[in-house]
């Protein structure tokens, strides 16, 4: 019999996490009569002593949370408990401490809101410690399998589209080629959707190999047809023509993508003589208030996750397919990672509109 559940956000934040949280608390507390404990900073809250967590009550779950980006619980995309980084640089296995944290709180189940990396860790913890886990997919990259959409993706696309809306007038005013670098770790979904929505001339995604001469030819074509500006969207995971990914290393040694836009800009300027400028959209895609679709998906997922726990169905991830919420094995969602299909509808649409992929 379920009495108390935990909920945590893990991995990179995105828009819609607080809306999930609110939905879970409203349904679990008001309709099921359970207690909901919010766990701080992903699994780090369960590792801390005393455990870092708070009871979440429906009256604190105001509609402000629906509109608020980020996660009020905090999150982390460092600190894998199976290889936890210590101050002196070595790593230790602290998984048993996380499992003990779950027991100390007297949890009967835990909802993990995460992407593929987080789910791998949470499943391992669940298997090792016998934890009852339900997953809710969130990732601006939208690369989890078996769900058409994950929380946060739609808002990221919206932000990138709005960036193109703002770049177009200044590009036209100055006769420039504007390059917009968007996020998407190893998947070009944000670039593809925003590029179509925002009227890009070129979209570069890691799934479709390109040649810079082809991109330059497209820019020259546009000029010949009498248009004085162009918009190019490039996904951060696109490699250089030499096949190198462009990354930056941060404090703690973590590398993230970033900088391919500048490479594209320099090469295009050299090949076409066009004046180019680069905008790297970065974390603006993550911190925005959730758009309407993300709020709807987030809340549908939250309610279904509670229903799954009530039904005793664990190791399942809620998913969106064919206009409804269903649930699938977490493992399959991780294994069936979805990148852009070069033969898929959206690539076909873009080509039909004359958008170049540089191939
Ligand atoms: O996976 C989500 C994501 O935003 C990627 O699109 C991006 O490459 C990465 O996280 C950035 O990570 P960080 O938050 O460490 O900068």
């Amino acid at each position: 019999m379920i009495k108390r559940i935990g909920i945590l956000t893990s991995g990179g934040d995105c828009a819609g996490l607080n809306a999930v949280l609110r939905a879970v608390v409203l349904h679990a507390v008001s309709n099921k009569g359970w207690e909901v404990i919010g766990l701080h900073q992903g699994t780090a809250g369960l590792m801390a002593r005393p455990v870092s967590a708070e009871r979440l009550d429906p009256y604190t779950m105001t509609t402000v949370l629906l509109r608020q980006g980020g996660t009020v619980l905090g999150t982390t995309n460092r600190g894998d408990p199976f290889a936890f980084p210590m101050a002196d640089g070595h790593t230790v296995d602290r998984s048993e401490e996380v499992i003990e944290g779950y027991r100390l709180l007297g949890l009967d189940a835990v909802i993990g809101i995460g992407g593929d990396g987080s789910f791998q860790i949470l499943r391992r913890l669940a298997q090792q410690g016998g934890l009852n886990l339900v997953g809710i997919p969130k990732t601006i990259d939208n690369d989890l399998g078996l769900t058409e959409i994950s929380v946060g993706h739609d808002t990221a696309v919206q932000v990138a589209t709005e960036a193109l809306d703002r770049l177009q007038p200044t590009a036209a005013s100055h006769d420039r080629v504007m390059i917009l670098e968007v996020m998407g770790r190893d998947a070009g979904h944000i670039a593809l959707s925003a590029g179509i929505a925002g009227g890009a001339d070129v979209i570069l995604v890691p799934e479709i190999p390109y040649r810079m001469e082809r991109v330059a030819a497209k820019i020259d074509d546009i000029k010949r047809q009498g248009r004085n500006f162009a918009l190019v969207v490039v996904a951060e995971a696109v490699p250089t023509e030499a096949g190198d990914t462009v990354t930056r290393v941060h404090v703690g040694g973590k590398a993230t993508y970033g900088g391919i836009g500048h490479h594209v800009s320099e090469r295009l300027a050299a090949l076409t003589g066009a004046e180019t400028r680069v905008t790297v959209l970065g974390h603006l895609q993550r911190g925005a208030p959730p758009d309407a679709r993300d709020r709807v998906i987030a809340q549908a997922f939250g309610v279904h996750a509670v229903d799954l726990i009530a039904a005793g169905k664990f190791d399942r991830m809620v998913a969106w397919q064919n206009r409804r919420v269903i649930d699938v094995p977490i493992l399959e969602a991780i294994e069936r990672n979805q990148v852009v299909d070069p033969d898929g509808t959206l690539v076909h649409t873009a080509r039909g509109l004359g958008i170049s992929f540089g191939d």
Side-chain angles (χ1 to χ4, degrees):
M1 168 108 163
I2 300 289
K3 290 202 184 91
R4 178 180 294 164
I5 65 168
I7 183 162
L8 60 83
T9 46
S10 179
D13 73 324
C14 65
L17 296 176
N18 294 322
V20 175
L21 205 61
R22 179 173 180 270
V24 166
V25 174
L26 293 185
H27 194 39
V29 180
S30 309
N31 299 332
K32 307 283 183 198
W34 304 342
E35 233 187 315
V36 179
I37 309 294
L39 310 170
H40 297 157
Q41 308 293 139
T43 51
L46 288 173
M47 203 187 280
R49 295 294 176 273
V51 172
S52 181
E54 64 188 300
R55 208 175 86 154
L56 301 173
D57 294 312
Y59 70 87
T60 62
M61 297 284 117
T62 69
T63 52
V64 170
L65 288 173
L66 280 182
R67 313 172 212 289
Q68 194 174 327
T71 162
V72 292
L73 292 179
T75 186
T76 178
N77 52 9
R78 300 169 53 193
D80 172 359
F82 292 95
F84 194 82
M86 304 304 280
D88 64 4
H90 79 289
T91 59
V92 290
D93 183 349
R94 299 186 64 183
S95 55
E96 278 305 322
E97 292 169 61
V98 176
I99 293 164
E100 186 190 52
Y102 175 96
R103 305 243 175 273
L104 286 172
L105 288 175
L107 300 180
D108 300 307
V110 64
I111 295 176
I113 314 172
D116 54 355
S118 301
F119 284 156
Q120 266 160 22
I121 292 169
L122 291 172
R123 280 197 82 239
R124 227 176 129 187
L125 287 165
Q127 280 168 348
Q128 183 174 313
L131 321 185
N132 292 326
L133 171 68
V134 165
I136 296 183
K138 67 86 215 165
T139 158
I140 65 164
D141 305 341
N142 207 26
D143 56 351
L144 273 162
L146 299 183
T147 184
E148 284 154 21
I149 190 85
S150 287
V151 176
H153 175 66
D154 207 66
T155 303
V157 170
Q158 181 66 28
V159 171
T161 303
E162 284 168 12
L164 289 169
D165 293 348
R166 287 164 170 73
L167 288 172
Q168 190 272 338
T170 173
S173 305
H174 284 269
D175 299 0
R176 283 175 174 161
V177 175
M178 292 297 196
I179 291 112
L180 177 69
E181 179 182 312
V182 300
M183 278 187 167
R185 192 162 43 204
D186 305 313
H189 297 295
I190 299 175
L192 181 56
S193 292
I196 292 172
D201 300 294
V202 178
I203 301 173
L204 300 181
V205 291
E207 296 86 349
I208 303 178
Y210 69 99
R211 286 194 11 232
M212 202 59 84
E213 287 74 16
R214 291 282 165 87
V215 180
K218 173 74 184 174
I219 303 296
D220 287 339
D221 250 13
I222 291 170
K223 219 187 300 173
R224 257 196 306 278
Q225 285 163 20
R227 174 143 61 86
N228 64 340
F229 72 94
L231 300 176
V232 176
V233 182
V234 55
E236 62 176 4
V238 167
T240 65
E241 298 149 282
D244 302 319
T245 51
V246 185
T247 57
R248 273 159 210 280
V249 181
H250 306 278
V251 172
K254 184 184 173 189
T256 57
Y257 287 122
I260 183 64
H262 291 279
H263 172 83
V264 170
S265 163
E266 279 156 32
R267 291 281 293 127
L268 267 187
L271 287 170
T272 64
E275 195 179 357
T276 58
R277 290 289 188 273
V278 185
T279 302
V280 180
L281 209 44
H283 294 80
L284 293 175
Q285 294 157 100
R286 296 224 310 238
D291 68 8
R293 186 163 156 81
D294 264 330
R295 294 182 202 190
V296 171
I297 298 282
Q299 294 178 97
F301 280 175
V303 167
H304 193 71
V306 169
D307 288 340
L308 279 180
I309 294 175
K313 289 173 79 180
F314 300 112
D315 202 16
R316 312 277 301 171
M317 183 190 86
V318 302
W320 190 264
Q321 282 181 19
N322 302 320
R323 304 171 76 99
R324 52 195 293 261
V325 183
I326 56 153
D327 49 273
V328 299
I330 298 178
L331 183 60
E332 270 184 53
I334 299 169
E335 285 177 347
R336 302 235 211 135
N337 176 277
Q338 60 175 17
V339 294
V340 167
D341 176 3
D343 300 315
T345 297
L346 290 189
V347 172
H348 183 72
T349 302
R351 290 196 196 281
L353 297 168
I355 297 173
S356 164
F357 289 91
D359 57 345

